[in-house]
Amino acid sequence: MGKHTDQRDRTLCLVRILYEQTDEKHPLTTPQLIRRLEKAGLTAERKSVYRDLGAMEKWGFPIDHRRGLGGGWYMASHPLDLDALQAAVDALAVYPWVSETLRGRALAQLSRLASNHQRAQLRRPVALSPRGGRAPSSVRQALDRVYAALQESRALSFHPLDYDLNQGWVAEEDTMVITPKGVLWFQEQYHLLGWDHRTGRLGLYRLDRMDQVKVTGLPAQGPQSDPARLVSAPFGLDDRRRERIRLRCAPAMAVEVLDHLGPGAQITPEEGCFTVTAEVIVGPAFWGWLAAHGDQAALVSPSWAAALWNTRYCPRLGAGVHSGHEERRAI
């Protein structure tokens, strides 16, 4: 019995050594493996180590061996490779709806999926600005119930939250019943696209403004909708205001345009300037952005939006855009 126990201990210890201390860049030779086993209080010889390694390979452990100088045995893959782990760590570091305690615990657990040599590369701290509003756990709980309703094809009920100057955030008395159609991530917030059972309309609801969220026994209602379409155009979520616009901009605006209109924007260089065509939501956010850069940008189309722009803002806007044609002088 003791012999079999020693064999099991040796095999399990060898798995742990390979998992924690090796990767493709850091293999261990057979003598090094034996010394580490002995340091753990387990006797081993070459034949027993080879037998254990063979058993690991037989049962699916990704053990590999590299010959020559600097070679040896190593764990060829981990549950997540280094690129995937770094992406997960980076995403978790900036995700706002998680407490600092949970963030630290999750980052520590992710680091244990890498070898000891790779863990230093997973220390990627990011400074976050403080957030007000609801506790992250409340939003995550609401998100869990939204997904449960989607999976079960059920409706949700919740109380909208409003802000009272004396009491802070308070839940309204009215209960809303919504069939969730999808979740959007927009401007660092979760938004629920849902079908209102009372009004028979689609609407958008911020998860951090929903209280007492519950999955009801009511079946889902309303047409199928594509939440991705609502976030495919910048400057808002009101798809009714989606327009294909064309701007004429000064050369210095190129980076600003790409940052706000996205990689789908079509840029055409012209003499002393460039034009850009893109789909946007023509609403307050768009007008505000255009006004902030009005001496460097002129709205060309659609015609109704260009006319509105020209009548509402003083003639100096757009003056910084070099113009040599009648159409440009008219803007």
Side-chain angles (χ1 to χ4, degrees), residues 141-287:
Q141 185 181 70
L143 184 64
D144 289 343
R145 290 174 183 173
V146 166
Y147 282 121
L150 282 166
Q151 292 163 4
E152 298 171 17
S153 296
R154 298 287 183 181
L156 286 171
S157 68
F158 66 91
H159 293 269
L161 285 170
D162 197 7
Y163 191 80
D164 183 276
L165 291 176
N166 297 314
Q167 304 178 61
W169 291 105
V170 293
E172 297 180 7
E173 291 186 4
D174 291 343
T175 301
M176 298 195 69
V177 179
I178 302 293
T179 290
K181 298 298 179 181
V183 177
L184 298 79
W185 179 254
F186 180 75
Q187 294 180 341
E188 300 300 309
Q189 299 287 347
Y190 283 114
H191 294 76
L192 169 65
L193 176 64
W195 178 264
D196 189 326
H197 286 218
R198 182 176 59 85
T199 64
R201 290 183 176 181
L202 283 170
L204 284 167
Y205 310 90
R206 273 179 53 170
L207 262 67
D208 62 329
R209 301 291 184 264
M210 297 164 57
D211 191 43
Q212 302 175 47
V213 182
K214 299 177 182 177
V215 181
T216 73
L218 297 172
Q221 295 183 11
Q224 292 299 316
S225 303
D226 181 12
R229 179 173 169 79
L230 294 179
V231 291
S232 62
F235 301 115
L237 294 173
D238 189 349
D239 202 46
R240 296 168 299 178
R241 296 183 175 184
R242 181 188 295 263
E243 294 282 352
R244 190 169 183 81
I245 59 103
R246 185 158 67 99
L247 298 171
R248 182 168 285 109
C249 305
M253 280 285 291
V255 173
E256 176 74 13
V257 163
L258 288 173
D259 282 347
H260 283 81
L261 303 189
Q266 300 172 14
I267 291 181
T268 304
E270 295 189 3
E271 183 184 352
C273 64
F274 68 90
T275 60
V276 57
T277 304
E279 281 195 353
V280 304
I281 303 302
V282 180
F286 171 72
W287 293 121

Side-chain angles (χ1 to χ4, degrees), residues 97-162:
W97 299 116
V98 61
S99 67
E100 287 303 315
T101 301
L102 179 55
R103 190 193 314 277
R105 189 166 74 244
L107 288 172
Q109 291 170 348
L110 283 171
S111 71
R112 287 199 288 272
L113 296 177
S115 71
N116 293 347
H117 305 285
Q118 295 172 332
R119 289 178 186 178
Q121 299 177 62
L122 296 179
R123 298 190 187 102
R124 301 156 71 93
V126 177
L128 292 177
S129 60
R131 296 185 63 89
R134 302 191 71 197
S137 57
S138 299
V139 177
R140 291 180 56 248
Q141 185 181 70
L143 184 64
D144 289 343
R145 290 174 183 173
V146 166
Y147 282 121
L150 282 166
Q151 292 163 4
E152 298 171 17
S153 296
R154 298 287 183 181
L156 286 171
S157 68
F158 66 91
H159 293 269
L161 285 170
D162 197 7

